Amino acid sequence: MSSWKVSSRETVVFFPEELAVGEEYVVYAMVIREGQTWFYLCANRGANIPYRYPSQVFEVVDGRLSQFWRFSRQQGRSGGWFSLFAIPEWIEGRGFYERLVDGLDPELAVSLRYRSIMDAEATVAS
């Protein structure tokens, strides 16, 4: 299995300062909420932290899921439900992503470790 890979479309309307046209990105997590799919990937905004981008900005070039992803249906703070595909620590640890964005060392170390092996996983599949 490989990590899900996407390529930014010919015209980047939403995030031109963050995404390079035609660049391929490994998707490190995916959320489906209120009919919208979001991909978490590392782009120019944060080299070490995956941020979310709307799926319509991308074309899927390799749709095989990472062997490290798990699935969870979770209830958000506002009470709505969403589906999350991510690493186990993100799925199981409420607030993992928020602590990662805050740059806390344990979460960053876990994320970087998974990023490294998911990048290798995606490269093997190419």
Side-chain angles (χ1 to χ4, degrees), residues 1-6 24-29 40-43 46-50 62 66-69 87 111-126:
M1 294 207 145
S2 74
S3 297
W4 192 315
K5 287 174 71 175
V6 295
E24 289 188 3
Y25 300 94
V26 175
V27 178
Y28 300 104
Y40 284 81
L41 51 95
C42 294
N48 293 324
I49 298 171
D62 184 348
S66 171
Q67 64 179 324
F68 302 102
W69 278 11
I87 60 174
S111 179
L112 289 174
R113 181 172 49 86
Y114 274 107
R115 179 177 178 196
S116 175
I117 57 179
M118 289 172 79
D119 285 351
E121 180 184 51
T123 302
V124 168
S126 294

Side-chain angles (χ1 to χ4, degrees), residues 12 37 39 46-47 66 73 78 87 93 116 122 125:
V12 179
T37 302
F39 296 149
S66 171
R73 188 163 187 271
S78 63
I87 60 174
S116 175

Side-chain angles (χ1 to χ4, degrees), residues 32-53:
I32 303 169
R33 175 181 302 187
E34 298 175 1
Q36 174 64 46
T37 302
W38 299 86
F39 296 149
Y40 284 81
L41 51 95
C42 294
N44 290 338
R45 184 189 329 181
N48 293 324
I49 298 171
Y51 287 96
R52 76 178 188 172
Y53 295 89

Side-chain angles (χ1 to χ4, degrees), residues 3 16 19 21 38 40 54-55 57 66 71-72 81 86-87 101 109-110 123:
S3 297
L19 301 171
V21 174
W38 299 86
Y40 284 81
S55 62
V57 176
S66 171
F71 169 79
S72 178
W81 289 88
I87 60 174
V101 170
V110 167
T123 302

Side-chain angles (χ1 to χ4, degrees), residues 66-108:
S66 171
Q67 64 179 324
F68 302 102
W69 278 11
R70 301 296 177 263
F71 169 79
S72 178
R73 188 163 187 271
Q74 299 187 2
Q75 190 168 22
R77 291 189 176 98
S78 63
W81 289 88
F82 62 93
S83 297
L84 174 63
F85 297 82
I87 60 174
E89 289 81 351
W90 192 337
I91 295 280
E92 297 162 5
R94 190 78 167 165
F96 175 88
Y97 183 73
E98 290 79 5
R99 292 187 300 275
L100 173 62
V101 170
D102 287 343
L104 297 182
D105 188 50
E107 287 76 11
L108 186 57

